């Protein structure tokens, strides 16, 4: 079983919505400190989208995500969600969930994360 497994990506029209899911293994969930979503457009690096600090229940969003994307969690299902609405073609990317097993507070920096899902493709057509 993978430590993180994303699902829910697909093809939607501009203005549409998608809900991405990240299922977390029991082992990883029991030690969770930070849970984040990143995205990677074709030919570009990974970009921070949103994060939850598990202990403080604090939520952080990239500027482009505010008002359109919502990160949430369901502890019983060991799942983190990213609800996306008002989607634009610029949102097209592979979306990843990730966690940092040695979290020190640098949640926006992709190189600080050591556990990643395989990614799920989101494509927004015009």
């Amino acid at each position: 079983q993978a430590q993180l497994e994303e699902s829910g990506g697909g093809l939607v029209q501009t203005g549409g919505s998608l809900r991405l899911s990240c299922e977390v293994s029991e082992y990883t969930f029991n030690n969770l400190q930070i849970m984040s979503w990143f995205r990677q457009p074709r030919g570009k690096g990974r970009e921070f989208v949103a994060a939850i600090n598990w202990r403080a229940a604090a939520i952080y969003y990239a500027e482009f995500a505010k008002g359109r994307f919502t990160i949430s969690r369901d502890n019983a299902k060991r799942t983190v969600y990213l609800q996306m609405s008002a989607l634009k073609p610029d949102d097209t990317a592979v979306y990843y969930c990730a966690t940092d097993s040695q979290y020190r507070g640098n949640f926006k920096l992709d190189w600080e994360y050591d556990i990643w899902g395989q990614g799920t493709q989101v494509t927004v057509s015009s």
Side-chain angles (χ1 to χ4, degrees), residues 64-125:
F64 68 82
K66 293 179 180 178
R68 296 194 300 129
F69 295 2
T70 302
I71 187 170
S72 61
R73 64 184 180 183
D74 186 331
N75 289 347
K77 297 181 178 180
R78 302 199 311 273
T79 300
V80 178
Y81 301 99
L82 183 68
Q83 177 69 46
M84 305 185 294
S85 62
L87 285 164
K88 310 171 183 178
D90 285 349
D91 295 319
T92 296
V94 178
Y95 284 71
Y96 298 90
C97 58
T99 188
D100 181 359
S101 65
Q102 303 294 326
Y103 183 57
R104 300 177 297 173
N106 300 317
F107 59 85
K108 292 184 178 180
L109 306 178
D110 63 316
W111 60 85
E112 294 285 350
Y113 291 74
D114 59 330
I115 302 174
W116 295 82
Q118 81 286 351
T120 185
Q121 176 71 48
V122 172
T123 302
V124 184
S125 63

Side-chain angles (χ1 to χ4, degrees), residues 6 36-40 46 94-98 116-119:
E6 302 97 333
S36 301
W37 287 95
F38 287 80
R39 69 184 188 183
Q40 185 171 28
R46 289 177 178 177
V94 178
Y95 284 71
Y96 298 90
C97 58
W116 295 82
Q118 81 286 351

Side-chain angles (χ1 to χ4, degrees), residues 2-42:
Q3 296 184 74
L4 305 176
E5 184 174 351
E6 302 97 333
S7 62
L11 174 64
V12 297
Q13 296 179 347
T14 296
S17 299
L18 282 174
R19 188 180 72 167
L20 307 183
S21 299
C22 178
E23 186 175 336
V24 184
S25 72
E26 184 174 357
Y27 175 84
T28 301
F29 187 85
N30 288 338
N31 296 282
L32 208 56
Q33 300 180 83
I34 185 74
M35 191 72 209
S36 301
W37 287 95
F38 287 80
R39 69 184 188 183
Q40 185 171 28
R42 187 184 301 274

